[in-house]
C-alpha cells in the first residue's frame, strides 16, 4: 500500500485530501496540531494514523515517526494565519516560511519520494502589487508574499536532492463545511441571510474550484506531477468576479441586493489561471461545476441554519 504524510490534515483542504487519498487506497499519516473535535473526522478511517506535531516542532517529525515506508508522498498543507487579520501578521507569516523549509527537510530526512507544497494564486497578486508601480502594496500582501517566498525557498532546498518537488497553487477553493471568513464563504452566507452586500467593481479575473476537485488534483500531482513543476489548480475557466457574484445571487436568492463600486482590484493575466499543464501531466479534470457547488453550499447552509 502506498503511503502519504499530510500536515494540516484537519484543515479545509487537508481533510478532503485525506479522504481522497484513503479512497485511492493510500495509507495516511495525518500530522495535526492537537487531538481535538476536528480529529474526530478520522475516527472511522483505519488507514489513517494521527500524529501530534505542531508546526513549531515540525523539524522533530522524523524523530517522532522513526522512518516511513517506501513510495511516500509528503503533502505540506499546514499554514498558520490563512484568513482574517493574521494574514497581515509579519512575524507569523515569516514563521510559516521557516516551517515550510523545515517540513521539506523533514521529508528528505524521512526518505520521502515526493514533496508537494500548497501554493496560492495570491502569490502572483503579491508579485504584481510589489513590482507594478501602478499598484500600491498593502498589508493584505503579507500572506501572499510569504507563500511566494516559501515556494521559492523550499524549491531551492529541494534542489540537488533525490526528492521530487512539486508546487500546485490553488486559484480559489470553496465548499461545504468551510468555516473561514474568505470571500466566497462570506458572500454565500450574506446572500442567504438577506444582507445587502457591497463589492468592488469586481472586474478582475477569478476562478473558483470545489474543494473535492482540489483534493483530487493534489492526489494526482503527488502521483504524477513532474519534478520542479508548478501547477495551477482551478477549473481552467476564469471569469470576471462580477459574473460569479451575479450567478451566486441568482442561484441563492434572485432578490438579493448587490452593489458594485469603482475599484477594479488587482487584475491578473489569464496565463496564471492556465490549467492545461496540470491536465496534460496528471490527467486531472474538474468534476464539480460552479453551479453544482453553489447549490451544495445552499443545501448545506439550510440544513445547518434552518432547523
Amino acid at each position: 500500500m502506498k503511503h502519504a504524510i499530510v500536515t494540516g490534515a484537519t484543515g479545509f483542504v487537508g481533510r478532503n485530501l485525506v479522504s481522497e487519498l484513503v479512497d485511492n487506497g493510500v495509507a495516511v499519516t495525518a500530522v495535526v496540531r492537537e487531538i481535538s473535535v476536528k480529529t474526530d473526522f478520522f475516527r472511522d478511517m483505519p488507514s489513517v494514523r494521527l500524529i501530534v506535531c505542531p508546526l513549531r516542532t515540525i523539524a522533530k517529525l522524523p524523530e517522532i515517526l522513526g522512518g516511513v515506508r517506501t513510495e511516500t508522498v509528503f503533502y505540506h498543507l499546514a499554514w498558520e494565519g490563512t484568513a482574517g487579520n493574521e494574514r497581515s501578521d509579519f512575524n507569523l507569516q515569516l514563521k510559516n516560511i521557516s516551517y515550510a523549509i523545515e517540513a521539506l527537510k523533514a521529508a528528505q530526512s524521512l526518505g520521502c519520494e515526493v514533496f508537494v507544497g500548497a501554493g496560492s494564486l495570491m502569490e502572483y497578486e503579491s508579485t504584481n502589487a510589489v513590482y507594478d508601480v501602478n499598484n500600491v502594496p498593502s498589508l493584505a500582501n503579507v500572506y501572499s508574499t510569504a507563500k511566494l517566498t516559501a515556494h521559492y525557498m523550499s524549491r531551492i532546498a529541494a534542489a540537488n536532492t533525490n526528492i521530487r518537488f512539486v508546487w500546485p497553487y490553488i486559484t480559489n477553493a470553496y465548499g461545504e463545511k468551510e468555516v473561514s471568513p474568505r470571500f466566497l464563504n462570506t458572500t454565500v452566507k450574506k446572500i442567504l441571510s438577506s444582507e445587502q452586500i457591497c463589492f468592488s467593481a469586481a472586474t478582475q479575473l477569478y476562478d473558483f474550484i470545489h474543494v473535492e476537485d482540489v483534493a483530487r488534483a493534489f492526489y494526482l500531482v503527488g502521483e504524477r506531477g513532474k519534478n520542479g513543476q508548478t501547477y495551477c489548480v482551478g477549473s481552467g475557466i476564469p471569469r470576471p468576479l462580477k459574473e460569479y457574484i451575479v450567478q451566486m445571487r441568482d442561484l441563492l436568492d434572485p432578490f438579493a441586493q448587490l452593489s458594485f463600486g469603482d475599484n477594479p482590484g488587482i487584475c491578473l493575466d489569464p496565463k496564471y489561471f492556465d490549467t492545461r499543464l496540470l491536465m496534460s501531466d496528471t490527467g486531472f479534470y474538474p468534476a464539480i461545476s460552479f453551479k453544482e457547488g453553489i447549490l451544495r453550499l445552499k443545501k448545506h447552509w439550510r440544513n445547518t441554519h434552518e432547523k
Side-chain angles (χ1 to χ4, degrees):
M1 178 180 285
K2 291 185 178 180
H3 180 226
I5 297 171
V6 180
T7 69
T10 58
F12 181 49
V13 174
R15 63 178 180 266
N16 282 277
L17 174 59
V18 171
S19 293
E20 179 70 22
L21 291 165
V22 169
D23 287 346
N24 282 278
V26 179
V28 178
T29 296
V31 182
V32 299
R33 182 184 307 171
E34 60 186 355
I35 300 298
S36 67
V37 174
K38 291 182 178 180
T39 56
D40 289 344
F41 178 80
F42 309 111
R43 182 178 298 168
D44 297 323
M45 297 182 180
S47 58
V48 175
R49 174 191 180 194
L50 285 175
I51 294 294
V52 176
C53 182
L55 272 176
R56 66 179 181 277
T57 60
I58 196 66
K60 295 182 180 179
L61 188 60
E63 178 183 340
I64 295 171
L65 294 180
V68 297
R69 65 193 75 178
T70 59
E71 296 185 304
T72 294
V73 180
F74 192 113
Y75 293 93
H76 181 56
L77 275 60
W79 192 278
E80 297 183 353
T82 59
N85 293 333
E86 288 186 331
R87 278 191 169 188
S88 58
D89 186 326
F90 282 93
N91 290 331
L92 179 60
Q93 299 304 336
L94 284 169
K95 288 179 181 178
N96 280 319
I97 298 169
S98 177
Y99 297 150
I101 306 306
E102 292 301 325
L104 185 281
K105 291 179 178 178
Q108 293 172 333
S109 178
L110 285 163
C112 297
E113 295 184 2
V114 188
F115 180 89
V116 180
S120 167
L121 180 67
M122 294 180 70
E123 296 174 35
Y124 300 100
E125 290 184 8
S126 173
T127 303
N128 283 15
V130 172
Y131 287 104
D132 189 334
V133 295
N134 296 313
N135 293 322
V136 179
S138 70
L139 289 175
N141 297 122
V142 175
Y143 163 80
S144 53
T145 301
K147 276 286 186 181
L148 180 66
T149 306
H151 175 182
Y152 287 173
M153 294 189 74
S154 56
R155 183 175 179 182
I156 292 170
N160 302 312
T161 69
N162 292 326
I163 199 166
R164 176 158 51 95
F165 176 87
V166 194
W167 190 270
Y169 66 88
I170 305 167
T171 53
N172 207 305
Y174 74 97
E176 303 89 311
K177 298 183 180 180
E178 182 179 13
V179 296
S180 82
R182 295 191 312 126
F183 174 80
L184 189 143
N185 198 37
T186 298
T187 300
V188 168
K189 290 179 180 178
K190 287 186 175 182
I191 291 176
L192 290 172
S193 300
S194 301
E195 297 181 36
Q196 185 172 358
I197 319 171
C198 298
F199 301 96
S200 67
T203 55
Q204 67 269 45
L205 288 178
Y206 258 65
D207 184 3
F208 292 102
I209 179 168
H210 195 275
V211 69
E212 290 180 12
D213 279 332
V214 172
R216 190 159 49 85
F218 269 63
Y219 162 68
L220 290 171
V221 163
E223 287 287 298
R224 307 171 187 171
K226 295 183 179 179
N227 186 36
Q229 193 56 259
T230 300
Y231 294 103
C232 175
V233 176
S235 75
I237 310 174
R239 293 187 282 157
L241 177 58
K242 187 173 184 178
E243 290 186 14
Y244 280 110
I245 294 170
V246 171
Q247 185 179 5
M248 277 191 282
R249 188 272 312 275
D250 293 345
L251 291 169
L252 299 171
D253 180 2
F255 300 102
Q257 298 296 309
L258 305 177
S259 176
F260 295 93
D262 299 321
N263 183 357
I266 295 178
C267 300
L268 291 178
D269 191 292
K271 68 182 180 181
Y272 296 120
F273 299 87
D274 192 339
T275 60
R276 286 176 295 181
L277 188 61
L278 172 68
M279 293 177 179
S280 63
D281 283 358
T282 70
F284 169 79
Y285 284 90
I288 301 171
S289 69
F290 186 69
K291 178 180 178 180
E292 179 185 346
I294 294 302
L295 291 176
R296 284 193 187 187
L297 281 176
K298 181 178 182 179
K299 181 179 180 180
H300 175 72
W301 192 88
R302 286 183 169 172
N303 287 340
T304 55
H305 291 82
E306 297 182 359
K307 292 182 179 180

